[in-house]
Amino acid sequence: MDIVSKWTDLLEAGIIKTNNGVIVELNAAARAMGFEEGKVVRIPKSRILKTEIGECEALIYGEHIILKPIDTFSQMKQFLIDAIAHEILTPITSIGGLLYLVKEGIDVEKNIEKIENHLGKIARIVDELLLLSKVEMGNYVPRSRRVELRGVIQEILKLYADRVERKKLEVKVKARGMMKTDPEALGIIVRNIISNAIKYTDPGGKVTISASNKRIVVEDTGVGIPPKELPFIFQRFFRASNVRDRGGSGLGLAIAKHLAEVLGFEIAIDSRLGVGTRVELKM
Ligand SMILES: Nc1ncnc2c1ncn2[C@@H]1O[C@H](COP(=O)(O)OP(=O)(O)O)[C@@H](O)[C@H]1O
Ligand SMILES: [Mg+2]
């Protein structure tokens, strides 16, 4: 009997395997819901569990517990607000520290530049969220222009120049040609893909970006994505089990995918754990 398939969207369901209530195995969605192996799960009489992504309905089947999020708007909103607040709070805290240094007259020029970078980051997060909500409400109308690809990529790389240098990453760009598309949305999609390649590649690694009028490909020699978790990475808030040591909200690829759909692009991801990841954005 295939219990899970009765849900139209399997990706939204989490499966927990337990042994006398102790979690022995989780699928990626269950992990995204905030469960941890070795923990005890107790299913309340009402069968409603509180999880990181809001309330879930639990269905017990043998030693498996299948979870289905009760996707009420207010719960999603609450989680979204928490995630955003955290993403924005981090740069704000840094700005506080940097302002103190400036007041003391320490490395003034350099620290003011850092403050500007953090402010830019906050503005980008807010911009992206406004855009995402527009797209999800069906209110986003892309405005196509001819976009010069090399320029787009260079602008994005400037944002991460510090990080690239700190991690001694080798970044190669082979970009030619133009695309007729919405420059703002394309910029956000490509930035999320490039920022992931930089974030999830360890020091000394390599990031290769190639672009032509039909496709943009970003390859890295980073940590990769566990094969079982690959189907979930476009889900909002999902983060793979091997990246817990790095910051992130799990929103980037969800946003990128939504925007790509609006522009008529497809995003394909290939990844090998511990070897690297290849993300292709194609017309
Ligand atoms: N280039 C990559 N290399 C390894 N893992 C990646 C890469 N890109 C995305 N991922 C995985 O997909 C997850 C979702 O990505 P994303 O939505 O951008 O969220 P975030 O980067 O905030 O965690 C990441 O947490 C990571 O596990
Ligand atoms: Mg990301």
Side-chain angles (χ1 to χ4, degrees), residues 200 202 220-227 242 271-277:
Y200 299 119
D202 286 332
D220 64 60
T221 59
V223 297
I225 300 163
N242 63 331
S271 188
R272 283 214 286 151
L273 193 59
V275 178
T277 301

Side-chain angles (χ1 to χ4, degrees), residues 63-270:
E63 55 187 6
H64 290 87
I65 297 167
I66 299 166
L67 301 166
K68 170 75 178 151
I70 302 172
D71 196 1
T72 65
F73 184 63
S74 68
Q75 282 165 348
M76 275 319 277
K77 210 166 67 178
Q78 188 53 47
F79 192 81
L80 195 63
I81 289 168
D82 291 350
I84 297 158
H86 178 78
E87 283 282 287
I88 293 179
L89 210 54
T90 311
I92 288 177
T93 309
S94 307
I95 289 173
L98 291 163
L99 277 174
Y100 172 80
L101 295 177
V102 170
K103 262 198 262 169
E104 297 290 305
I106 300 167
D107 282 341
V108 173
E109 224 168 284
K110 212 170 112 194
N111 285 325
I112 286 181
E113 201 185 309
K114 284 189 185 164
I115 290 172
E116 283 168 351
N117 285 343
H118 284 301
L119 284 173
K121 185 168 183 209
I122 296 170
R124 278 200 305 281
I125 294 169
V126 174
D127 272 352
E128 266 181 31
L129 285 159
L130 288 175
L131 197 63
L132 179 66
S133 93
K134 256 200 215 166
V135 172
E136 292 198 339
M137 303 293 283
N139 290 336
Y140 182 70
V141 184
R143 279 164 302 169
S144 279
R145 277 200 275 129
R146 277 166 65 80
V147 185
E148 202 264 314
L149 295 173
R150 196 175 171 81
V152 170
I153 292 166
Q154 297 295 3
E155 278 305 306
I156 292 169
L157 285 174
K158 268 192 213 156
L159 300 172
Y160 301 103
D162 275 358
R163 209 185 286 191
V164 166
E165 193 179 307
R166 231 182 305 127
K167 293 177 82 174
K168 303 254 174 294
L169 297 178
E170 184 190 337
V171 178
K172 262 204 182 147
V173 182
K174 289 177 277 179
R176 302 186 54 187
M178 316 275 271
M179 252 181 206
K180 195 158 186 300
T181 187
D182 182 304
E184 188 191 5
L186 181 75
I188 291 174
I189 297 169
V190 178
R191 185 160 56 67
N192 274 305
I193 296 172
I194 290 179
S195 76
N196 281 345
I198 292 170
K199 172 160 60 169
Y200 299 119
T201 301
D202 286 332
K206 195 170 157 185
V207 174
T208 311
I209 304 162
S210 45
S212 66
N213 5 349
K214 285 269 182 303
R215 70 193 70 233
I216 299 177
V217 179
V218 179
E219 281 170 287
D220 64 60
T221 59
V223 297
I225 300 163
K228 275 193 186 161
E229 298 179 34
L230 200 57
F232 303 96
I233 57 164
F234 290 109
Q235 218 170 299
R236 282 168 170 193
F237 310 118
F238 182 78
R239 309 200 63 229
S241 54
N242 63 331
V243 299
R244 295 289 148 82
D245 58 329
R246 303 158 211 234
S249 59
L251 282 174
L253 285 181
I255 291 172
K257 181 147 181 145
H258 268 297
L259 288 176
E261 271 163 18
V262 173
L263 300 186
F265 290 124
E266 204 183 298
I267 304 180
I269 300 199
D270 259 330

Side-chain angles (χ1 to χ4, degrees), residues 19 25 38 57 61 88 123 263:
N19 184 358
E25 211 179 296
E57 189 182 348
Y61 175 59
I88 293 179
L263 300 186

